[in-house]
Amino acid sequence: MKGKSRFEILEGLTKKQQKAVMLLSEPKAKQVKVAELISVSEATISRWIKSEKFAKAQREYDQFVYENLRAHAVNTMGKLLGARSELVRFNAAKDILDRTGIVPVEKHEVEMSGTIDSNPYAGLTTEELKKLVSGGDVDASS
């Protein structure tokens, strides 16, 4: 038993319609140019585009094209991770993480009152510091 064709809907169209689907998937494709290339009127192309079967065939073909480009795009993003520019590397990494569903950690605001002494030894005398270095006890409360 033969399996289903990948292009089941597309293969149900006429040869000219199939060609139109493929040509219209190209960037900047114009209906008038496609009509000219396959020897039909622009009105015919417009009528085909409005038909559900033709629209489904276009989606089917576009999905095939994009699936084939996906691996190339992922490879390109991987290469960009090694770019010289830090911004390019950052954007590539961020894009990859975004597309894989990894979300950034939520930031939380923290309120604080009082002061933080960044140097706990700032209030000690030279003698107290020497004791500390030599392993002696220092009473920091004095």
Side-chain angles (χ1 to χ4, degrees):
M1 186 173 152
K2 204 173 184 184
K4 277 187 171 181
S5 168
R6 175 176 197 110
F7 300 108
E8 187 176 338
I9 301 167
L10 184 66
E11 290 171 351
L13 300 177
T14 68
K15 294 293 181 198
K16 284 188 178 191
Q17 287 174 322
Q18 290 175 14
K19 187 71 174 168
V21 164
M22 293 176 203
L23 290 169
L24 287 168
S25 75
E26 295 294 320
K28 300 181 183 177
K30 303 283 185 212
Q31 289 183 25
V32 66
K33 184 65 176 169
V34 171
E36 181 183 310
L37 288 169
I38 61 173
S39 303
V40 297
S41 70
E42 189 177 354
T44 298
I45 296 289
S46 293
R47 190 173 62 253
W48 288 348
I49 289 172
K50 291 175 188 171
S51 98
E52 185 60 32
K53 188 174 182 180
F54 191 87
K56 284 182 180 179
Q58 282 184 298
R59 288 190 296 272
E60 181 182 72
Y61 185 74
D62 287 346
Q63 182 178 357
F64 167 75
V65 170
Y66 294 133
E67 283 174 7
N68 286 323
L69 291 174
R70 186 178 309 142
H72 183 65
V74 169
N75 187 36
T76 299
M77 292 301 289
K79 287 179 182 177
L80 289 174
L81 291 172
R84 282 185 169 166
S85 166
E86 186 174 346
L87 182 60
V88 170
R89 290 192 312 271
F90 170 80
N91 284 329
K94 182 180 180 321
D95 191 59
I96 290 168
L97 293 174
D98 288 347
R99 291 173 189 275
T100 56
I102 297 173
V103 293
V105 176
E106 288 186 36
K107 293 181 181 178
H108 298 280
E109 292 234 358
V110 177
E111 287 190 33
M112 187 190 92
S113 61
T115 60
I116 296 178
D117 188 0
S118 60
N119 182 356
Y121 307 110
L124 298 179
T125 66
T126 305
E127 285 304 311
E128 290 170 327
L129 288 170
K130 285 180 184 177
K131 277 187 187 177
L132 237 167
V133 170
S134 65
D137 286 335
V138 174
D139 181 18
S141 61
S142 54

